[in-house]
Structure formats: C-alpha cells, structure tokens
Amino acid sequence: MSRRVEGRSGWTWFPATVLLALSVACGGAPGDFQSAWPDGIDRVWVGPEYFANRLADWRIRDGRLECVEARRNFPWRTVHLLTRSLGPRPGSFSMEVLTGPVDARGRVVAEAWSGFLIGAGGQHVDYRLTALVHHRPAEDGGLLAVFNGRGLVAFRNNSAGARVDSTWSIGGPVDPAEVALLDATSTAGAGFADGPSRPLLLQLSGEPEGGAYDLTLRARDPDNGETVSEAVLEGVAASQVDGGLALVSHLSPNGGESGFWFRDWKISGDKVEAHDDRLFGPILSTQYTVSEHVLKLTAQMGPLGQRDTRRAVLQTRQSGDDEWRTRAESEWIDDSYTIPFRVEDWQPEGDVEFRVVYDLATGAQSSRTYDYEGRIPAEPLREDEFVLAAFTGHKIYTGGLEWNHDGIWFPHDEVVRAVAHHQPDLLFFSGDQVYEGDLTPAVSSPVDQALLDYLYKWYRWCWAFAPLTRVTPTVTIPDDHDVYHGNIWGAGGRKAEERQGMTAQDSGGYKMPPRFVNAVHRTQTSHLPDPFDPTPVDQGISVYYTDLRQGGVSFAILADRQWKSSPSVAVPEGRFVNGWPQNPRFDPVARADVPGAELLGQRQLDFLRQWGADWSSGVWMKLVLSQTIFSNLATLPPDAASGAVLPSLPIQPPEVYPEGFKLAADADSNGWPQSGRARALREMRKAFALHVAGDQHLASTIQYGVDDWGDAGYALCVPSIGNTWPRRWFPSVEGRNRRPGAPRYTGDFRDGFGNRMTVLAVANPHQTGRQPSNLHDRAPGYGIVRLDRSSRSITIECWPRWSDPGNPGAPQYPGWPVTLQQQDNYGRKAAAYLPRLQIEGMADPVVQVIDESNDEIVYTLRIQGTDYRAKVFRPGVYTLKVGEPGRDIKTIEGIHSLGPSEEGSLRLVF
C-alpha cells in the first residue's frame, strides 16, 4: 500500500510494502496471479494481498484457505483480493480455484455455495470499501459465480436486495431469494448426482461481446477433468463485471460447522488490472510519539501463527541518506499482535525516515521480507505555530446498505486529504476508533473470538488513517465502544457484573475481561509516553494517563472513564439507567452530586497537579486531551427520558430552531459528578490549559465555569468522523451575555447538572442538501487547534467533512474559528495583584505563584518577555518562583498582595 501525504516539504510517497509479495506469476501478463498460501504455517490472518470478512471466519491451514464459519446468521463469507481487479477496459479474463468442503462428511446442504464474487465496487468506489462486501446483497455488490452443495453452478445477483435500515449491523440470515438467481442462457451437467459434496475445480471466464460480457462457469472433477456442471450467462452489463474479486463461502455443504476451503486461485487475462501497491500487511500500520527524547513506535500486525517469525526490526535514516541503521528490535505480543519499539536518546538533526522490517513465513523453512516505511518529523519546523488535528467517533455505517460511498463512509479519504492540508504536528483520536456493532454484529465471547472481532474492526481504522499516522506523531486513547460498552463507568477497573435490577454495564467497571481490555490498550496506547504511574487498576487492567511533550507544548493525556463512578450505584435515588435518571421526581442539579462519586479519580488529579506545575524543557503551552468534555452540552425533546430518541429525531433546515427542548442530564457526559468536575477544572486552569475532547457527537467550543461563569478554561469538543448519534443544543432559554449577533444558543448557561458554561459555538445537525444526507446532515468533521508561540494565541477551528480547506474561503462550521489568549484559560477575576516583576538576564521565564496561607500553588505559567504582573484571587501573602526549571530558579517569599489600583515592582536579575 502506498499513500501520498502532504508534509511540510510537499508531497511525499511512503510505500507500505514490501520487498516481495506472496503472489506468484502464472503467466507473463502483468495482471496474472496465483495464490500461494503457505504449507506448514497455520494462522488466522490470510496474507497481505487479501482482506477477509470477518477476520475470525477464515484461516490458513495445510497450505489452503479455509472458511470456519457456516452458521445461517453469518451467510456468505468473503476473502477479497486487494491486488487485482477487473478494469473498465474491454478484454477477456479467466480464473479458477480448487475448492471443497472443510467438513468431509455429513448431509448434503443444497443451498450452500462456494465460488467467486466479481464486479464488486468499481472505479467509483475505493477498493478498501469494496473489500468489505459480504453477508448481504446491495448496490455495487457485484455478481456471484458459485456452485451449490449438489455441485450445480449458478450466477446470482449480489447488487440488488432488500434494503437494510439497521443503523448498526447487517447481521442475520439472508433469504436466498434476496440474492436472486440469474437466468442462464444455457446449462449442462447434473452436479453430484451420485453422492455428497466433494472438491471441484471451479472455472470462470468472460469474453466481451457488443459492449457486454458473456460469462462461462464450469465445475470440473479435479481428478479426471470431467465437467460436473456448466452455465453460460450472456449479455451481462460491463458494470456488473468491472470491479473487485473475491472468494465466497456460504454455509456448509455437509451441514458441518465450517464452510469451504480454497487452493490455487489463478487469475489471468487482459481485463485483469494489477495493483501490487495495495498490499495490507503483514505490518498494517504504525503509531508513534516522541517525548523527552524517547521515541515509542508500535507496529500493528495481523493475527500471526505460532510458527511465524516473532521478531521485527525498526530501522531509521536521516532524510537524504542511503544507509538504514537498526535502532531497535522487538517481538509481537499475543492477543493484540502489536510490536512495541522504544529508542532512548532520540535527538536527530532533522526529519528521519523509518521502516519496520519483518520476515513473513511462507513455509516451514522459508520466509519473505516486508517493510513498512514512514517519517518522523523533527521538532516542529514552524517556529511560531503548533498545529493539532483532533478526531472522534470512527463510525462507518448507519443503515441503508449500499456497497459504495452512499451507504458506507469508509475509508474517509476526504478527511485524510483535508487534514493533511493543515500539516498537523500532532494527531489526536479521542476515542471510539471502534464501534463494537458497526457494520457487523459484536462478538463479546469467548474472549479469543472477541479479540478477533475487535481487531477486524480496529484494522479498518488502521487502514483509513495510516496515511497520516505513518508521518505524524499520534495520540490515540480508547473510549467506551473501543472496549465494547455502550457507556462505561470504569470504577477503578472492577469487574462489571449484573445485579438485581441493574445491568452489568450500569453496575460500573469493565464488562470485558482484562485480557481483552489490555489488548485494546496495547493496540491504541502502547506508543504513548510511559504512564505517570503504571500501577494497574483492579483486575490488572493497564493504565495510560501520561504527559506528552512536543515542540514546547505539554499535553496531559487522561483516561476520563477509568475511575469514574457509576451513577446507578452512586445515586440510587435517581434510578439511573445507562446514565439517565428515570425517577421523574429526581432533581439532578440538587441531588446527583453525592459524596464519594469520582470523575478522574485521585491518581489522575495528583497527576494533573504535578503536570500543571511542571514547565520544564521549554514548555510554553499546555493542553489536556481526554475522551469527553466536562459539561453536558445537550438538549432533548420535552417528553424524552433518555438520549435513545436522538437518532430518530428529524433533522431540520438550518433556519429552523426547535422549540421546547429541555436540558439533558446525561451522566455519561463529564458534567457528572459535579464536584469531580470542579476538582478537575481547578487543576487544569492552574496550567492555563485548553481542553480538547470528543465523544459527544456534537462539536462545540465552550468556556468552563466553576464558581462563576468564565472562571476556568476553554474546551473544544470535536465533531465525529461519522455520526450515528446526533446530539443537539437547542436550549429554550436564550444564553445570557451573548456576543453581538451571536445565535440564541450561545452565551452563559447552566447545563442539566447545574454546571456553569459559556457557549461560544455549536455545530448542530441540520439539513445540508449534500448526499449522503445521513452522513453530512449529522455534522461530521474534525477539529484543528493552532497554537501561536509569538502571541500565545489559540485558534480553534471546526471543519465540516465536506469542506476542502485547500480552497480559498472554504467554510468552517458557523461560529468558528474561535481565537483566545493562553491566559484566558484561567478566566477567574483577580481580587488582588502581586508587585510587577521586572526581569533582567532571562526572557520568557516560568512564574509560579504559591499561597503561603496553605502552601498551595495558585498557578504556573511561562510568561512572555520580561515584565509580568501576577493576579491572585484573595489578598494575602505569597511566594513567587521565577526562572527556568531545572536550571536557574529564584524564590521570593513573603510578598504581600496589592489592590487593583496599587502599584509595586520586584526586580530580578539572572
């Protein structure tokens, strides 16, 4: 796979493969192909040329491809060939495969199928989307050329069928009538007239005829070459032939637990197009960070076998050099199939190219070498600007199945291209990289199968965003759906168990076993800087909260939900179900903030306190990255008892403002618990930190209030990449203190838990007139944060998915951009001031203010220049620490505060 990613020096190509491929030529033509599944190697992952649906449904064993799923709820399984397709130009083609039942004995199941899928997708559909085609027929689904359990061949239309409107999965059995039989022009052969299903050599050929195609499908006895069955289909439209190629197994021909096996798949002809740059694996993607001169890079592999090579090598070279240097070696880890690399004392002179090199076993005594290349930029080259790109909610399907970009939003190329245009210094994915039931149903047990189900969906994220993550440092943190929860209250890692009158989810803790959760953490967070305190929580579940420093910007990375209390447990009076109080007489403002309810937990509060005071290593700006903002910015219709109504609410034209909506009190938001929210915000504002998060599916920029409106920092909740749960902010009361001309939903508000917040901008869902409407009308997109070092300004941008930032005047969502100053993130009004600091011999020192009455740090900040007047929030006596941490600090004690109109100064010489 190769991707072109726009970097600071222009467009750069980074091939993801691959010194050698697993296919072998079966002729001289460029498109000729023959499969070569290895003997002596058993594995789930079927090879870099293929994508299997689903991952757990297929395996390589004894040199052949086997389908191990044959239940009726999981009809026709597919393995797509990524490196070949039937192109739009006229021409002939042929293909064949040896195939038979995995289970050798049993009753004959006539409706079972084995064979080919051709013509899926086409030039107008990204090949990665086409690789997902399976289970149900729909537009652009292609044509099936198969034989059934009795050995009779047939053609079936996979491009038309019953419309699937489920907003989550395409599961369940399929009526054979939905995959309609096409009337063959001619047929011959009796199939298996004398016994059960057995191996056959299936052959398909196509010849152009008058702008259409004539197709011939034969099933032959592989021992004697005799034709068992034959069908000819004439006049097939070219659009049904052009496109992707796959193998198909449907049910078991003998009523067993497994479907069909395949060997020696051969393809040839002048209509066959080669795409050898489309290999996906064995290294599927990489993520990395560089912080405090430590490089951590994680390579994501497919599920390899126990006889596969365990070890891989990380090599680097300076841009422009020819020689690769080995920097680290590491082994892949079971369950997650991740290879973590670590390089200490990382101090390159400029951009560095990297490659991960891996020898993939092709037999018991043979292997082939693959590499995956990327780039690690030097510390941000733009001296005065740092750019963060932020995302949330990687959903690809919300109903109305079509095997094209109108029905499936994957692989988000327009988002990738747009973000590359901004040339970000850091990517932040705030959670829900995986939705457990997205497109295919969730598998939650047994744990081995659940892990493969997770990886199958996680690989889609890797495939989509690898063009960015291979050239840009990345922070990725999991949220509830990543660990297979609808909502999660981590409760310090306890095991979630069903109680009387309470679901396991509502009881708090993790439903999935630690083995599963830790594997998810490894796939998404093992490349982050080392945790602040690596001690696992209950059940041995790993933690990842940490500090990342890049380009003079320090990021506190939080796990919002890992210690969060369950409202169902903490506030029984509210009768909370899935975070929503069901007691009609319960007041969440007055009654929900109960003693002992946790938000971040003490460990993360201690981390925030220490992080906020540490401005060493030249740090000049601080941001907090987490899953969810610390307010409940949402409204509901007056009769709604929960957010379950959101997907079905009509989306209005932009000029329509729905009346009568009420404030939501959703404890899944971090507006609850209120005291836990206040404790977190008090620590964050001491660092003048902007908060960037996601999860809520409703893009917004707000300023937090703790004791008064505007006395804490600002927050950006980014829009979802794809949104199936469109929240809305339509308060019935107009916001106070709105800016001139601002919409009525902006200004000062209290949320449904009584928390103060000042709303600056919201991207409510509205009718856009763009298709597909169920994507664009739900306000999808991404966020950009620009940090200007020279002015210490922060510019917050919110981009619609459909807007091309490369075009002059390309629109953002209404209300953005929002620009503020760093010190606005501690908006609390001063009650007094300290004498003005006048500093000589050091520019931009760090200033820390300490209240001597309680020895608490009031705040810490790297100032601009040499002149600073510190505000304080009550008259008293203070200590100032000024200078460069770790090098030269001066401490002045016993400083008495001054009134706002009083003047005084302190001169410090370094």
Side-chain angles (χ1 to χ4, degrees):
M1 179 177 64
S2 293
R3 288 288 177 273
R4 196 173 65 169
V5 179
E6 189 174 14
R8 297 191 185 90
S9 301
W11 290 96
T12 305
W13 286 96
F14 284 99
T17 58
V18 298
L19 305 178
L20 293 167
L22 276 182
S23 60
V24 296
C26 59
D32 290 358
F33 171 87
Q34 179 176 330
S35 62
W37 290 297
D39 285 311
I41 300 294
D42 297 343
R43 69 166 77 101
V44 171
W45 179 69
V46 300
E49 293 125 330
Y50 310 99
F51 190 82
N53 296 293
R54 300 165 303 173
L55 182 64
D57 297 342
W58 297 86
R59 69 186 178 195
I60 302 298
R61 177 167 291 185
D62 298 328
R64 68 187 191 184
L65 173 68
E66 297 182 349
C67 182
V68 297
E69 175 58 79
R71 290 173 291 176
R72 293 184 180 274
N73 273 351
F74 297 92
W76 53 276
R77 311 287 89 188
T78 60
V79 169
H80 286 258
L81 179 61
L82 304 175
T83 60
R84 298 294 184 272
S85 67
L86 298 180
R89 67 177 183 271
S92 61
F93 69 92
S94 64
M95 65 180 72
E96 67 178 37
V97 71
L98 186 64
T99 176
V102 174
D103 299 315
R105 298 180 181 180
R107 60 183 178 81
V108 173
V109 179
E111 62 267 37
W113 312 327
S114 177
F116 303 113
L117 171 66
I118 68 170
Q123 296 295 306
H124 61 296
V125 182
D126 190 290
Y127 76 96
R128 292 166 290 177
L129 190 162
T130 296
L132 303 181
V133 174
H134 77 295
H135 198 119
R136 288 190 177 275
E139 184 176 335
D140 286 314
L143 181 72
L144 289 163
V146 297
F147 70 87
N148 69 10
R150 296 196 177 278
L152 297 174
V153 300
F155 295 95
R156 290 180 174 271
N157 183 9
N158 194 50
S159 291
R163 187 174 177 87
V164 181
D165 291 316
S166 167
T167 60
W168 282 92
S169 302
I170 59 170
V174 173
D175 189 328
E178 293 183 52
V179 195
L181 277 169
L182 300 175
D183 292 332
T185 308
S186 65
T187 60
F192 301 132
D194 58 347
S197 180
R198 58 183 184 267
L200 289 173
L201 179 65
L202 188 65
Q203 298 174 320
L204 173 67
S205 63
E207 296 291 338
E209 184 65 40
Y213 276 83
D214 294 342
L215 304 179
T216 301
L217 182 64
R218 292 187 181 91
R220 296 181 182 274
D221 187 313
D223 295 326
N224 57 30
E226 292 183 1
T227 297
V228 173
S229 179
E230 176 180 301
V232 176
L233 185 64
E234 296 179 346
V236 179
S239 60
Q240 284 192 282
V241 174
D242 303 346
L245 304 171
L247 297 175
V248 180
S249 174
H250 172 64
L251 306 182
S252 169
N254 295 317
E257 295 181 354
S258 299
F260 291 84
W261 58 259
F262 301 85
R263 189 195 297 271
D264 296 330
W265 187 11
K266 299 176 183 178
I267 304 170
S268 62
D270 52 12
K271 190 174 177 60
V272 181
E273 291 187 346
H275 310 282
D276 290 329
D277 60 336
R278 292 180 177 177
L279 295 180
F280 187 44
I283 305 146
L284 306 178
S285 69
T286 56
Q287 295 188 79
Y288 65 85
T289 58
V290 177
S291 184
E292 297 292 87
H293 305 297
V294 176
L295 166 67
K296 293 183 70 177
L297 183 149
T298 296
Q300 180 66 63
M301 313 296 286
L304 300 165
Q306 291 306 307
R307 298 186 68 179
D308 275 306
T309 309
R310 293 199 71 93
R311 203 157 190 82
V313 173
L314 174 64
Q315 297 180 332
T316 65
R317 67 182 179 186
Q318 292 288 150
S319 295
D321 291 349
D322 294 328
E323 184 175 350
W324 289 97
R325 174 188 173 194
T326 296
R327 302 300 300 272
E329 296 184 20
S330 189
E331 295 186 355
W332 54 265
I333 302 172
D334 290 332
D335 292 345
S336 63
Y337 298 97
T338 49
I339 303 181
F341 296 99
R342 182 187 186 97
V343 181
E344 303 277 356
D345 195 28
W346 180 264
Q347 299 188 63
E349 296 179 357
D351 287 3
V352 173
E353 296 173 11
F354 75 84
R355 70 179 183 184
V356 178
V357 182
Y358 178 76
D359 292 335
L360 180 68
T362 57
Q365 303 297 325
S366 61
S367 65
R368 290 178 177 172
T369 301
Y370 290 76
D371 69 14
Y372 182 104
E373 295 184 13
R375 186 187 67 234
I376 302 169
E379 284 287 289
L381 296 181
R382 292 176 297 250
E383 184 176 338
D384 288 334
E385 186 180 51
F386 187 101
V387 178
L388 172 72
F391 315 79
T392 197
H394 175 227
K395 191 78 166 66
I396 72 167
Y397 175 72
T398 61
L401 180 65
E402 297 177 32
W403 294 114
N404 54 41
H405 297 284
D406 288 337
I408 307 247
W409 306 334
F410 183 77
H412 321 290
D413 262 7
E414 68 272 37
V415 175
V416 171
R417 286 194 301 269
V419 170
H421 174 81
H422 296 290
Q423 301 183 18
D425 297 295
L426 183 69
L427 308 173
F428 172 46
F429 292 87
S430 68
D432 294 341
Q433 283 70 246
V434 163
Y435 282 91
E436 67 274 31
D438 195 12
L439 190 64
T440 60
V443 177
S444 56
S445 65
V447 66
D448 289 332
Q449 295 297 302
L451 284 163
L452 292 176
D453 187 65
Y454 165 77
L455 290 172
Y456 170 63
K457 290 156 182 167
W458 166 244
Y459 292 163
R460 297 193 304 232
W461 182 92
C462 296
W463 216 358
F465 295 103
L468 295 173
T469 64
R470 70 193 309 152
V471 296
T472 314
T474 303
V475 171
T476 308
I477 59 175
D479 201 2
D480 43 14
H481 291 285
D482 297 287
V483 291
Y484 282 35
H485 277 250
N487 290 322
I488 188 170
W489 343 94
R494 66 181 301 274
K495 182 179 179 181
E497 297 181 289
E498 185 175 349
R499 307 183 187 183
Q500 185 175 2
M502 190 181 299
T503 65
Q505 177 171 290
D506 281 347
S507 73
Y510 290 80
K511 293 189 297 184
M512 298 299 289
R515 179 182 163 197
F516 180 93
V517 177
N518 287 341
V520 171
H521 286 183
R522 286 196 299 273
T523 62
Q524 299 197 24
T525 71
S526 58
H527 67 291
L528 298 181
D530 296 345
F532 176 76
D533 173 3
T535 305
V537 293
D538 289 358
Q539 302 189 83
I541 290 175
S542 60
V543 300
Y544 56 83
Y545 66 101
T546 189
D547 171 15
L548 167 70
R549 299 186 181 201
Q550 183 185 338
V553 182
S554 175
F555 299 89
I557 301 167
L558 299 179
D560 304 21
R561 306 180 187 278
Q562 196 156 28
W563 280 271
K564 187 171 180 177
S565 301
S566 161
S568 302
V569 174
V571 197
E573 177 190 354
R575 300 206 299 268
F576 280 81
V577 175
N578 200 31
W580 294 93
Q582 300 302 298
N583 180 353
R585 292 180 294 278
F586 177 75
D587 180 358
V589 175
R591 309 288 293 180
D593 192 21
V594 297
E598 296 279 3
L599 179 56
L600 296 183
Q602 193 58 49
R603 285 174 60 178
Q604 291 193 109
L605 288 173
D606 292 342
F607 160 64
L608 276 178
R609 186 171 300 115
Q610 181 170 320
W611 169 81
D614 183 3
W615 292 67
S616 60
S617 303
V619 167
W620 54 273
M621 184 75 76
K622 286 183 176 278
L623 280 75
V624 172
L625 307 180
S626 81
Q627 296 153 339
T628 308
I629 62 169
F630 294 173
S631 285
N632 191 186
L633 185 80
T635 52
L636 290 173
D639 56 348
S642 75
V645 301
L646 291 169
S648 61
L649 291 180
I651 294 177
Q652 304 288 353
E655 67 274 9
V656 173
Y657 192 104
E659 299 292 347
F661 274 43
K662 64 181 180 181
L663 296 176
D666 179 6
D668 178 55
S669 78
N670 281 343
W672 181 86
Q674 297 95 315
S675 291
R677 168 193 185 265
R679 288 191 290 271
L681 293 179
R682 288 188 176 108
E683 296 300 336
M684 289 161 59
R685 70 185 181 182
K686 292 179 182 179
F688 298 85
L690 175 73
H691 186 198
V692 181
D695 174 67
Q696 290 296 296
H697 307 266
L698 178 62
S700 61
T701 293
I702 67 174
Q703 185 178 15
Y704 294 127
V706 179
D707 301 305
D708 197 0
W709 281 272
D711 68 0
Y714 285 75
L716 166 65
C717 176
V718 299
S720 294
I721 299 165
N723 188 357
T724 191
W725 207 262
R727 290 181 174 87
R728 292 141 168 95
W729 176 245
F730 292 121
S732 57
V733 177
E734 296 183 5
R736 297 185 300 107
N737 302 315
R738 297 196 309 279
R739 296 177 180 181
R744 59 186 278 193
Y745 56 75
T746 64
D748 292 340
F749 291 94
R750 289 183 183 268
D751 70 10
F753 292 103
N755 300 303
R756 295 174 176 85
M757 59 182 183
T758 300
V759 179
L760 286 81
V762 177
N764 278 309
H766 68 272
Q767 295 175 13
T768 63
R770 293 177 172 82
Q771 296 298 322
S773 59
N774 66 340
L775 170 61
H776 295 299
D777 290 0
R778 295 175 177 181
Y782 60 93
I784 295 288
V785 177
R786 302 182 184 276
L787 310 175
D788 188 282
R789 183 166 188 162
S790 61
S791 66
R792 301 288 176 87
S793 66
I794 301 170
T795 300
I796 302 171
E797 301 175 0
C798 186
W799 288 89
R801 183 176 173 131
W802 46 262
S803 186
D804 181 359
N807 290 335
Q812 298 182 39
Y813 278 114
W816 284 276
V818 172
T819 300
L820 57 133
Q821 294 300 124
Q822 179 181 27
Q823 294 192 51
D824 294 340
N825 284 305
Y826 200 161
R828 189 176 175 189
K829 295 180 174 61
Y833 292 87
L834 302 186
R836 183 176 298 277
L837 283 172
Q838 295 175 334
I839 301 161
E840 298 179 16
M842 181 182 292
D844 299 349
V846 173
V847 174
Q848 186 174 87
V849 181
I850 301 171
D851 187 338
E852 292 187 5
S853 69
N854 52 21
D855 290 328
E856 287 189 3
I857 296 172
V858 180
Y859 57 80
T860 312
L861 175 70
R862 184 178 295 277
I863 69 169
Q864 286 180 279
T866 58
D867 187 279
Y868 183 68
R869 190 185 188 199
K871 66 179 179 180
V872 292
F873 308 109
R874 62 181 181 186
V877 181
Y878 293 85
T879 294
L880 281 176
K881 293 185 177 181
V882 183
E884 189 59 46
R887 198 174 70 216
D888 193 358
I889 291 286
K890 294 186 181 298
T891 300
I892 310 100
E893 299 176 340
I895 304 172
H896 290 265
S897 63
L898 304 173
S901 61
E902 296 181 279
E903 290 292 336
S905 64
L906 287 170
R907 181 169 171 265
L908 291 179
V909 179
F910 286 87

